[in-house]
Amino acid sequence: MNKEEDECSVIEPKADETSITKLNNCVHEKHSSKVRRRNVIEKISSSLIKENDFNYNNKSIEFSLDTEKAWINGIPELPEILNIDSPEKFTERERMKIKVIQGTIIKSNLTFGKLKLLSTSSEGLVIDDIRRILWPQLLRLPDKEMPIVDELETVHKCIPCEVYQQVLKDVARSGGHLFPDATEEEISRFQDQMTQLICWVLYRNPSLHYYQGYNDVAATILLIMGLQRALHVLEKISLTYLERFMEKTMEKVNQELFFIFALLEREHPKLLEHLENVELFPHFALAEYTTWYAHKYAENRKLLHRLFDYFLGSPPFMPLYLSTIIVIHRADEIFNTIPDMGHTHKVLCSLPDNLPIENLLVNANNLYHRYPPGTINKDVRDYDLKRRRKEQEWKAKVEASRKERENNLKIVQSRRRLPYRMRSYKTITVVTIIALGLYAFLKTSSGLN
C-alpha cells in the first residue's frame, strides 16, 4: 500500500544505522535554516496554484477499519492502577473506561481498528500510565524495539544555528506545560530535554522544517512518554501526522484551513456568511491545527491529553473537523461580538476550558463521516482561491496607497521656495518702503498744516 493510497497507513520506524556518537560530524547543509512563524500567512506568488496541486483523496484519510492485528510483539502489559475505585481519583465513566481497556487489550486477536477505537471513544485512554504503553502501539512502535539514544547533549550541533536559537526561544516559552509549583531544577531539566528531543527529530529527518508550535507538541509528548520514548514517538507523529506542517512553506496548510469554511457552508451557512462579511479567514485555527490544541490547552493537561488520544486514533484532518464543530458550538458568542475582523478574530483565537469536549468529539466524528475530505476538496480549493484573490486586492490597495503618498510628497517637495536669506531681505525691503512712504506722508501732511 503506497502513500497515495493510504495516508493513514503507518510508516515503519527508521533503522538506527548511524550511531548518535557521530553527531558532532553532522553536515549542516542538509537542513533548511528557515524558521516559519506561527499565525503568519506565507506570501504567495502572483500565479495561483493549480487545482490538482492539492488533492485530498477520500480513501487516504477515511477512518481505518484495519483488521490487522493490534499487537506486533505480544500483548502489552498495563501497569497496576491503584485506587481505581476511588471516587476522588476517577469519575464513574473513567473507571468504566479503564476496565474496558484492561479487558480489551488482553485479547490476542485484537485488531488495530479496535485499538484505535479505544483511543477515540469516550474518555480516551484516561490516564498517562496507559498512554505510555498504548501510544507507541497506536503508532506501530513496539516498546521492545525502541533503541536507547545516547549523547543527546550534542545533537543541537547538527542543525542550523538559526533553527537551534529559535528552538531555544520557544522552549523557554513552554513553561505553561509544567505545573505552577515546578522547581527551577525541574524547569531546567524539562527545557534541556525538550530541546534535545526537538533537535534529535530534526537531525534525523532533514526534510522536516521546524515551525513555531512544534515545541508545544514536543512538550506534551515529553511529559507523558519521558525522553527516551518521546524521541521515537515524536518522530513517528511528525512523519505520520505533522509532515505537511513541516514543509518549506505553510502554503498547503493555509489551504487546508478552508475545510472549516467548506464544512460551515454545509452545517451553518449563516455563520459562514457572518465570518465572510467581517473578512475573516479561518487562520484563527492555525495554532489549533498545527499543535493539536497543545498551544491553547497547555495548562489543562487532562483535556489536552484526551485530545491527543483522539487525534492519534483519527485521520490527519480531524483537528479541522473539531475546529469547525467548536466554531458552530460558539455561534451565539460570535454573533454577539462586535462585527469586525479584529473582535471576531480575538474571540475565535481564545478557547474556553469548559467546552463539552466529549460531545464535540462525537459531533466531529459524525461530521467527518457526513463530509469526508474527498467530497469537499473542490470547495476547499475554491475558498482558497478567493483568499488569494483577496490578498492580491489588499496588496494592490496597499501599493496604490504607497504610491499616492509618494506622489503627494513629491508635489510638496517640488514647490519653489525662496532661500531663508532672500526671504529676510525681501521682508526688510518691504518694511523699509512702507516706513519711507509713511514718513513722506506724515511730512507732507505737516507741511500742509
Side-chain angles (χ1 to χ4, degrees), residues 223-283:
L223 288 171
I224 293 176
M225 302 303 301
L227 178 58
Q228 286 296 325
R229 290 185 180 183
L231 294 169
H232 304 284
V233 169
L234 180 63
E235 180 183 42
K236 193 60 175 293
I237 289 176
S238 301
L239 293 171
T240 309
Y241 291 93
L242 311 181
E243 193 172 18
R244 299 182 315 287
F245 312 150
M246 306 183 79
E247 294 181 355
K248 288 184 178 180
T249 73
M250 279 280 190
E251 192 55 49
K252 185 180 293 186
V253 179
N254 285 333
Q255 185 183 61
E256 291 171 357
L257 289 169
F258 282 94
F259 271 108
I260 296 174
F261 274 19
L263 293 167
L264 285 177
E265 181 181 358
R266 289 157 173 78
E267 291 291 299
H268 205 317
K270 184 179 178 182
L271 181 55
L272 173 61
E273 182 182 6
H274 179 83
L275 296 179
E276 288 186 317
N277 286 341
V278 299
E279 297 186 319
L280 184 66
F281 293 149
H283 294 87

Side-chain angles (χ1 to χ4, degrees), residues 292-316:
W292 284 5
Y293 291 78
H295 181 66
K296 299 294 180 70
Y297 288 129
E299 298 178 5
N300 190 340
R301 283 193 187 183
K302 184 175 181 179
L303 172 57
L304 178 58
H305 296 180
R306 167 66 184 110
L307 290 174
F308 269 57
D309 291 340
Y310 186 76
F311 295 140
L312 283 173
S314 301

Side-chain angles (χ1 to χ4, degrees), residues 84 91-101 126:
I84 189 173
T91 66
E92 183 178 355
R93 292 177 64 86
E94 289 171 343
R95 288 197 298 272
M96 289 176 60
K97 186 58 181 292
I98 291 174
K99 291 176 181 178
V100 168
I101 294 171
V126 188

Side-chain angles (χ1 to χ4, degrees), residues 124-140:
L125 300 179
V126 188
I127 58 174
D128 291 347
D129 287 342
I130 295 178
R131 294 182 177 106
R132 201 168 294 116
I133 302 301
L134 294 188
W135 276 11
Q137 303 289 343
L138 284 166
L139 293 164
R140 312 311 270 164

Side-chain angles (χ1 to χ4, degrees), residues 186-214:
E186 290 171 335
I187 294 172
S188 178
R189 182 169 63 251
F190 171 72
Q191 291 179 343
D192 288 344
Q193 290 183 349
M194 195 160 80
T195 302
Q196 294 168 9
L197 171 60
I198 294 172
C199 292
W200 187 81
V201 174
L202 295 177
Y203 151 69
R204 287 257 295 175
N205 303 274
S207 63
L208 300 182
H209 301 262
Y210 178 78
Y211 65 94
Q212 288 185 290
Y214 188 70

